[in-house]
Amino acid sequence: MANKEVDVVVVGAGFAGMYMLVKLRELGLSAHCFEAGGDVGGTWYWNRYPGARCDIESLEYSYSFSPELEQEWTWTERYATQPEILRYARHVADRFDLRPDITFDTKVEAAAWDEDTERWTVETSGGETLAARFFIMATGCLSSPNRPDIPGLDDFAGETYLTGLWPHEGVDFSGKRVAVIGTGSSAVQSIPVIAREADHVTVFQRTPNYIVPAQNHDWPDDTLAEAKANYRQIRAEAKEETGGFRLPHGTSDRLVTDVPETEREQEFQKRWDHGGLVFLAAYPDEGLFEESADFAGEFVRRKIRERVKDPETAEKLCPDDHPFGSKRLCVDIGYFETYNEDHVDLVDLKATPIERITASGVRTTGGDHDADILVLATGFDAMTGTLTKFDIRGEGGTSLREKWEAGPLTYLGLMSAGFPNFFMLTGPGSPSVLSNMMVSIEQHVEYVADILADLQARGGATIVPLESAEEAWVQHGNDTAAPTNMMRSNSWYLGANIPGKPRVFMPYSGGVPTYRRICDHIRAEGYPGFAIDGEANETPVAFEEFADVPEVLVPILEAMAAEAEAAAGTPNVQG
Ligand code: NA7
C-alpha cells in the first residue's frame, strides 16, 4: 500500500530532473523527486575526476528557460569545469527552491503500473511506497559506470577508482605510480591533470581516438556581456543545428571529395584553431563515407604526429580502425603533449592485451606494469544501462528490462508501448548523446509538460504509445543511422563497449531540429501513434518527410536507399 500519493514521481535530480520539477510546479502538479546522490547535479555530481569539464561551450551548455538565470549567472571559462557546473546546478536548485521536493541519497528500486487505479506504485530504498499518476525517469544517458570484467581486478592491492564514480574528497596522486585504463573522453581529460601530480603514469589504450584541441580560455568580459545581451539569438541558433550547438563555421554545401586540397586544409585548420566539436561537420558527406571522413581523419593524425615527439608513441596514438566522427569526438587540453613527458608511458593493448590485474599492477602479454593507483576510465553502460537496472513493470506486469532484451524499443525515445504515463527524458531513440544535452533536455521536459497539460485540459488520465508507432519509430531510427559511418565503429552508441549488449544504434541520428519538428507535429495533430484513455490514434506519421537533408546529399541518399532496398528485396523508406 502506498503511504504517499503524488501526481508525479521523478527519478534523478540532474539537469533534466530539476527542470522537470520546475515545469510540473508551473502546471500545478504535485511532484516528488528521488536522487541516489547526496546533492543535485547528476552526471556532474558523480564525474569528479581531475580535469572533468564539458565539451560544449558553457554559454550553450546551460538552461535557456529563465532569462533571469541567464543574466545572473556568469560562466568563467569557455568550457566549464565540473566544479563550476556543479555550482551552477546547486544555484538552480536553490534559486527555484527545488530541494523540498527532492529526497537525496535515496534510490527508486521498483515501479509497477496498476491498471485498476491507473497509478504507478513506486518503491524507494528509503522504504517509502508512493502512488503516482505519472512516472518520469530523468536518470541520464551516462549514469551506469562500466567496471570492466578484467580478471583479477579485485586482487589489486592499491587504490582503484572509476572516473564515473570519483570520490568526493579527491585523490592524492603525489609520489604515486598511476595506471589508467581507457582513452575515451574521461581519460583524455584526466590524464594531463593526473600526470602533473603523479610520479609515473602508464596509460593502457585499447582504441586510439580522434581528439581535437578545446582551445579553452577564460571568457573575456566583453564576450560575456555580448552573450548576455544576445542569449535569445544564441539559443535560437543552437536549436537549429543538428547537434544542438552553434557551428560558427557552418557546414559546406559541397562534398569534401569535390574540394581542392588547399581549400580543404584551410577549412580544417580554421576549425582546429577555433577548437572543440565544431571540427565535426565541415562537409556534409563526412558522416556518410569512410573515404570522406578520412580527410578530417588524416588531418587529425598529422596533428598527432606533430604534437607527440616520439614517432613510435605518435603512431600508437593515431586512430586507424574507425572512421573519423563515428565515435564521440574527444576534446583535449594538452593530452598529446603529456606523452612527451618522461614519466608518462603508453601501452598499446592491441599489441599486448591485458592478461589480468595483479596485486601490484597490470599484467599484459608484454609484461608487468606496477602501480599504486588504478584509474578505470572505462566509460558507461550508456543509454539503457540505468533504465534496465530498475525493476519497471508496465501493463500485465511486463518488465521493461525483458522487453528491451534485444535493444531499446521506444516511441520518440520518450515512452514505451505497454508502459502508460511513463516518460524517459532523453531516452534511447531521441537525439540525446548526439546533441548538446541541455538543448535536448529542455525540449523533452517542455514536451512532457505539454503532454501533461494537454491531458489535463481534456480531462484525460492515461497516455501510452501504440506498438505500431513504436515499431515505425525504431525502424525510422535504424533507417536514419544505416547509411552513416556511426554504424561502422565499435562505439558505446551501439552498445559495443559492453560485452553481451545487443548491437543496436541507440540515439536518434536525425538531428535536433528534425526531431523537434516531428515531436511538434505529433502534438499538433492530436498525438498520432498514441492512445489517450484507451482511444488509439493510428494515423501514421511520415517521419522521413521531416528530414533536413542537405541538397547535395539527396541524390546520394536516394541511391543508397535504392541499393539497400534492392539488397533487402523489400521497400525501404529513406529519410
Ligand atoms: P568512453 O568514451 O566509453 O571510453 C572508455 C574507454 O575505456 C575507451 O577507451 C575504451 O576502449 C576503454 N575500455 C573500456 N573497457 C575496456 C577494457 N576492458 N579494457 C581496456 N580498455 C577498455 O567513456 P568516457 O567516460 O571516456 O566518455 C564517455 C562520455 O562522457 C564522453 O563521450 C563524453 O560525452 C562524456 P574502446 O574504445 O572501447 O576500445
Side-chain angles (χ1 to χ4, degrees):
M1 273 299 284
N3 46 28
K4 190 172 174 185
E5 169 122 21
V6 287
D7 290 318
V8 190
V9 165
V10 178
V11 188
F15 285 115
M18 286 199 292
Y19 185 32
M20 197 72 245
L21 283 180
V22 171
K23 292 301 284 184
L24 292 169
R25 275 193 198 161
E26 279 174 22
L27 290 173
L29 293 169
S30 61
H32 201 81
C33 174
F34 293 94
E35 166 56 55
D39 204 349
V40 296
T43 196
W44 302 106
Y45 174 85
W46 299 106
N47 283 268
R48 296 171 185 243
Y49 59 82
R53 62 171 82 225
C54 193
D55 54 12
I56 301 280
E57 290 189 10
S58 52
L59 294 171
E60 298 183 45
Y61 189 84
S62 50
Y63 285 126
S64 75
F65 72 84
S66 164
E68 297 77 22
L69 174 64
E70 282 172 341
Q71 294 305 315
E72 74 200 15
W73 185 265
T74 298
W75 294 105
T76 62
E77 287 181 75
R78 182 175 175 195
Y79 297 95
T81 60
Q82 173 270 333
E84 189 169 23
I85 300 173
L86 190 57
R87 274 200 301 282
Y88 174 73
R90 288 179 171 146
H91 171 73
V92 170
D94 294 333
R95 190 190 191 288
F96 295 95
D97 194 25
L98 301 177
R99 294 180 191 278
D101 291 337
I102 306 172
T103 304
F104 293 103
D105 298 310
T106 304
K107 289 182 179 169
V108 162
E109 300 205 312
W113 175 247
D114 183 327
E115 275 150 76
D116 297 330
T117 60
E118 295 184 329
R119 296 281 185 282
W120 281 93
T121 307
V122 181
E123 291 169 34
T124 76
S125 58
E128 258 188 295
T129 304
L130 292 94
R133 292 170 56 210
F134 302 98
F135 180 49
I136 301 179
M137 297 296 268
T139 43
C141 299
L142 299 168
S143 44
S144 285
N146 169 35
R147 190 181 161 87
D149 193 14
I150 302 175
L153 210 48
D154 293 331
D155 300 343
F156 184 57
E159 304 156 45
T160 304
Y161 301 104
L162 267 166
T163 46
L165 273 181
W166 202 257
H168 289 197
E169 58 283 7
V171 177
D172 183 5
F173 291 103
S174 51
K176 299 284 171 55
R177 296 162 305 170
V178 185
V180 182
I181 299 182
T183 49
S185 220
S186 304
V188 166
Q189 291 185 339
S190 57
I191 286 165
V193 184
I194 294 173
R196 259 180 251 150
E197 236 187 84
D199 241 26
H200 194 271
V201 178
T202 312
V203 179
F204 295 85
Q205 170 188 271
R206 188 162 69 180
T207 311
N209 268 315
Y210 294 98
I211 303 166
V212 296
Q215 314 288 19
N216 186 45
H217 52 72
D218 287 351
W219 283 126
D221 289 345
D222 53 346
T223 307
L224 283 174
E226 202 186 310
K228 286 193 179 186
N230 290 303
Y231 253 129
R232 297 283 57 75
Q233 176 74 16
I234 292 173
R235 307 301 191 186
E237 283 173 18
K239 278 163 84 170
E240 284 311 316
E241 293 293 350
T242 302
F245 57 90
R246 289 180 303 162
L247 292 177
H249 303 294
T251 298
S252 169
D253 52 11
R254 287 187 295 163
L255 302 178
V256 66
T257 40
D258 291 345
V259 173
E261 189 181 340
T262 32
E263 194 181 323
R264 206 167 53 216
E265 289 295 301
Q266 277 168 5
E267 186 60 44
F268 289 141
Q269 186 63 46
K270 186 169 72 185
R271 287 158 190 268
W272 185 270
D273 294 340
H274 182 93
L277 298 176
V278 304
F279 194 82
L280 286 164
Y283 296 97
D285 51 331
E286 276 178 335
L288 288 181
F289 305 107
E290 293 194 37
E291 316 80 74
S292 307
D294 212 42
F295 291 108
E298 193 47 38
F299 185 91
V300 175
R301 282 190 287 272
R302 259 198 328 269
K303 292 290 186 189
I304 296 172
R305 291 179 189 120
E306 283 168 24
R307 293 173 73 185
V308 180
K309 286 189 191 138
D310 172 41
E312 214 179 299
T313 307
E315 255 357 271
K316 285 185 200 164
L317 288 163
C318 283
D320 62 357
D321 73 342
H322 61 282
F324 170 82
S326 63
K327 289 176 108 171
R328 175 88 181 196
L329 183 64
C330 297
V331 176
D332 87 298
I333 301 178
Y335 176 68
F336 289 114
E337 289 72 14
T338 306
Y339 292 97
N340 295 333
E341 307 270 338
D342 289 338
H343 70 300
V344 179
D345 292 326
L346 179 70
V347 175
D348 175 6
L349 296 180
K350 287 227 165 93
T352 54
I354 295 178
E355 279 184 350
R356 63 177 300 109
I357 308 294
T358 65
S360 57
V362 182
R363 177 169 300 160
T364 69
T365 55
D368 282 328
H369 303 268
D370 288 348
D372 307 303
I373 297 179
L374 181 58
V375 174
L376 301 171
T378 42
F380 300 85
D381 184 351
M383 305 211 68
T384 53
T386 302
L387 289 165
T388 55
K389 250 189 218 159
F390 293 87
D391 184 16
I392 299 173
R393 291 181 184 270
E395 287 165 346
T398 307
S399 138
L400 188 75
R401 190 184 303 143
E402 284 166 20
K403 179 182 170 184
W404 284 12
E405 238 158 35
L409 299 171
T410 71
Y411 187 37
L412 303 175
L414 188 72
M415 297 191 81
S416 194
F419 294 78
N421 293 7
F422 167 64
F423 298 92
M424 294 161 282
L425 302 178
T426 66
S430 72
S432 56
V433 292
L434 296 181
S435 67
N436 173 354
M437 286 300 289
M438 278 294 199
V439 166
S440 289
I441 281 171
E442 287 198 325
Q443 187 260 337
H444 255 194
V445 167
E446 286 163 12
Y447 196 61
V448 170
D450 285 341
I451 292 174
L452 300 192
D454 290 346
L455 266 186
Q456 258 179 335
R458 59 195 272 174
T462 65
I463 181 163
V464 67
L466 307 176
E467 255 173 46
S468 54
E470 184 169 277
E471 272 168 31
W473 182 250
V474 171
Q475 186 62 48
H476 173 64
N478 291 341
D479 291 344
T480 307
T484 72
N485 281 334
M486 286 187 285
M487 296 303 287
R488 294 183 258 282
S489 77
N490 291 320
S491 70
W492 52 261
Y493 300 145
L494 279 155
N497 62 328
I498 303 295
K501 194 165 172 173
R503 194 178 167 93
V504 173
F505 192 78
M506 294 179 286
Y508 176 62
S509 62
V512 163
T514 298
Y515 176 79
R516 189 184 59 248
R517 281 197 291 273
I518 292 172
C519 289
D520 290 349
H521 166 86
I522 287 173
R523 179 169 181 236
E525 293 301 312
Y527 296 104
F530 286 99
I532 295 181
D533 290 336
E535 200 180 304
N537 182 338
E538 291 178 17
T539 313
V541 181
F543 305 119
E544 64 284 353
E545 281 175 11
F546 295 84
D548 198 7
V549 180
E551 220 166 289
V552 68
L553 288 187
V554 172
I556 296 174
L557 283 170
E558 278 173 4
M560 285 169 99
E563 216 175 283
E565 195 181 315
T570 51
N572 180 13
V573 184
Q574 181 58 64

